[in-house]
Structures are given as structure tokens and as C-alpha cells.
Amino acid sequence: MTKSRPPALNLTFDPGTWTLTWLCSDDVTVTSCSANQTLHGRLRKQKMKNPSGCRCKFNPLTLHLGVTLKVTATVAEGNVTISERLDYEVPGPLGSEAVNISCEIHDAAAMTGRQLPGCPGGPAPAGCSLHNLTGLPRQLHVTVAGSSRFGAIRPYDLILNTKAIERLSPPLNITGRCNASHCAVSWAPPRTWADMGFNDFRYELDLRHADTNPDAMVTISSRPENRYEFPSPEPRVGHRVRIRVGDVRSQRWSAWSPPVWFGDVRPAIPRLPIYVIAAAATLICALGLALAWKRFLGRRRLLPRIPEIPDKVSDNALVNSEMLRKDLAG
């Protein structure tokens, strides 16, 4: 009697959903399925036991590296264990895929990819941007595909931790206040796309005196109150501060905030009310006029008026016009 051949599982793989399927059979029970691939020289393996529904759905896989899929099953007739393997390779020649891909989430609202050959909205040789991050998962699978008149282009894909690729923005609402002996700087944490609390942040303050250049770098981590106090007695020439924020789990730092100036308290010339200034000006003018009048009177006393010589003609009120004509004629 000839031995019957084990049934074929006919494995198929959907790279869009990382789902492996096979033919269902009443006399075949699948006991496990696995997906193996090598990433950065290390073997990465996903394995599921006793899957149901004639399928296995894996976590995101980096497909451009290739993946080996395997299903192990038991055949009821004869209690035979069988296995079937499927090697999946993305289409396209090696070396045609995109390289040096990097992505970052910025301004808590957008994701930008650089060195990308194309985007959903059309070709873009340098990169592309995604401005709607609604529903973006913690683990993001990005695939870069393309086309060429010379032939197929091999897709390139990678898996990103969206929290790790977020570029932090500088802190918000930076203020500085001082009293007679101390100053305090306060700020608000930046807006982030990922859910981050005060324990996730650390801050670096670049604090300087307004009239000098030496740096005073202060690092602050994990404080529920974003505030830094330091002694600064009056009189003072003021301070300048700028702040950046970092993630405590990485070396990521935001850009520096714009500088904020505060605490300038110097001995000042008292400011007089306008009406006092106007009254003083009027008084000065009056004193000037009085002095000028006094000098004028003094000069008149020193130089008395010289008596005028009487005119025998014009000063004689009794001379009539006829006599005047005779005098002038003679």
C-alpha cells in the first residue's frame, strides 16, 4: 500500500498587511507560523502559536530586507507533522531602491521625509511632507516606491518609532521677573505630537548678564514646576536668557528659543511731571526778563539824559507864522 502524499498548504503573503494565509482543511491543524528576517546583522523572528482563521497577521516587517515565512501543521491522518516555507522578496533589481531616508515630526503637527524619490501627492526628488498626523501609530511603516522608464525600481521600507523621530520645539511663554535680591525665569513645555509629561523633558538655560558675554549654562530635569531662581541683588544691569528642551531618553535637543531680556534696574534720573518742567521754564524766562530790565535801568542811572539846546524858533510858542517867515528870510 502506497503512502499518501501530505496535503499542500499553498502559502500566500500580502505585503500590504503582513498577512500570511493558507488553504483551510478539516484534517490539517496549523500549530505555528513564523516570519524571520535579518536586520543589522541580527536575526529577528516573529512567531505565533495555534493561529486561527487560516491566517497569521504579523507585526510590521521591513520587507526590502526579504522575509522567510514558515507554517507548521499536523495532519490528522497518521498524525503527521508538516511544514511549508515561503521566501518573499520585493520586486526590482538590487541597488535601485531609495537610500539615506530620514523622517522627523516637527511643530507637533507635521512629518517631513528627506532624500525621498516621491510622495503620494506627486514626485519630489528631495523629500515630502505629511501635514495630517491623525491616527498615526506609534510604530510607523514607511514605504518608498518609484518608477523609471529604464525598468522597475525596488521599493524601500523602514519602521519608525514616531515618538523617537519627533523634533522638539523650543519652550513656550518664557518670562523673567526680579525683586530686590533675586530673579526667576519660568517657561512652559513645548507642544508635542507624542504624549509626553514633565518627566520626559530636560531643559538647558543659557543665562547671561546683559553687559557681559560669559555663559552660565544651567541644566534642569524632571521638575513639575518649570522655574529657575538665582540671586541677583539690585542695582543690576539686567539678564538675557534663552532655553532649549531635550528628551531625557535621547540626545535630541530643540533649537534655542529667542532671547528674553529682563531685570534691568539701574539708578535712574528722577522724572519730573510736565507741569513742573513748564513752571520752571516760565520762572526762568521771567527771571531773565527781570534781569534784563534791571540792567537797562542801571545803565540809565549811570548815563543821565543830556539837556537839549533850545531852538529859538521852534521852542518859542509865541512866534507867529509871519515873524517866522521874516526870520527865515533875513
Side-chain angles (χ1 to χ4, degrees), residues 22 29-34 45-53 55-58 70 72:
W22 54 87
T29 302
V30 174
T31 56
S32 67
C33 57
S34 62
K45 185 174 182 178
Q46 295 186 44
K47 187 174 182 178
M48 301 175 61
K49 293 184 177 181
N50 302 317
S52 60
R55 66 182 59 207
C56 282
K57 182 176 176 62
F58 299 102
K70 185 177 179 181
T72 301

Side-chain angles (χ1 to χ4, degrees), residues 73-272:
T74 301
V75 180
E77 183 181 353
N79 194 24
V80 178
T81 299
I82 61 173
S83 64
E84 192 167 317
R85 168 176 168 171
L86 174 64
D87 293 321
Y88 178 81
E89 291 285 341
V90 296
L94 288 172
S96 63
E97 66 273 12
V99 294
N100 299 329
I101 297 175
S102 64
C103 293
E104 63 181 19
I105 295 174
H106 56 89
D107 301 322
M111 185 176 72
T112 300
R114 306 190 185 281
Q115 300 296 329
L116 302 183
C119 295
C128 63
S129 297
L130 181 65
H131 294 281
N132 183 6
L133 304 185
T134 303
L136 204 65
R138 173 74 177 270
Q139 297 291 327
L140 176 66
H141 182 261
V142 177
T143 300
V144 180
S147 61
S148 170
R149 59 189 178 90
F150 300 105
I153 292 180
R154 186 181 179 92
Y156 184 92
D157 64 334
L158 69 164
I159 300 172
L160 302 172
N161 182 331
T162 51
K163 188 173 184 178
I165 66 171
E166 183 167 10
R167 188 183 70 195
L168 301 175
S169 300
L172 303 172
N173 304 330
I174 300 172
T175 59
R177 293 183 175 86
C178 300
N179 57 23
S181 60
H182 287 74
C183 290
V185 180
S186 59
W187 62 91
R191 293 189 305 112
T192 60
W193 176 82
D195 185 15
M196 300 180 72
F198 74 89
N199 285 322
D200 298 313
F201 295 124
R202 57 179 172 172
Y203 299 92
E204 197 169 59
L205 282 68
D206 177 16
L207 186 63
R208 307 186 184 196
H209 294 291
D211 60 347
T212 58
N213 290 326
D215 293 348
M217 305 298 293
V218 180
T219 301
I220 300 173
S221 297
S222 302
R223 287 189 183 179
E225 182 182 21
N226 296 319
R227 181 182 175 90
Y228 175 69
E229 296 182 0
F230 58 97
S232 180
E234 294 181 352
R236 68 176 71 90
V237 295
H239 302 281
R240 191 217 71 175
V241 66
R242 56 181 189 155
I243 307 176
R244 65 176 183 171
V245 60
D247 188 337
V248 296
R249 290 174 297 273
S250 69
Q251 296 301 316
R252 293 183 300 146
W253 287 95
S254 73
W256 286 103
S257 68
V260 174
W261 303 83
F262 65 97
D264 188 357
V265 179
R266 313 184 202 188
I269 299 175
R271 296 183 178 180
L272 297 176

Side-chain angles (χ1 to χ4, degrees), residues 27-67:
D27 59 347
V28 176
T29 302
V30 174
T31 56
S32 67
C33 57
S34 62
N36 300 336
Q37 59 181 177
T38 302
L39 180 63
H40 304 305
R42 299 180 60 183
L43 179 65
R44 298 183 61 183
K45 185 174 182 178
Q46 295 186 44
K47 187 174 182 178
M48 301 175 61
K49 293 184 177 181
N50 302 317
S52 60
C54 304
R55 66 182 59 207
C56 282
K57 182 176 176 62
F58 299 102
N59 292 326
L61 298 165
T62 308
L63 299 178
H64 78 274
L65 300 173
V67 58

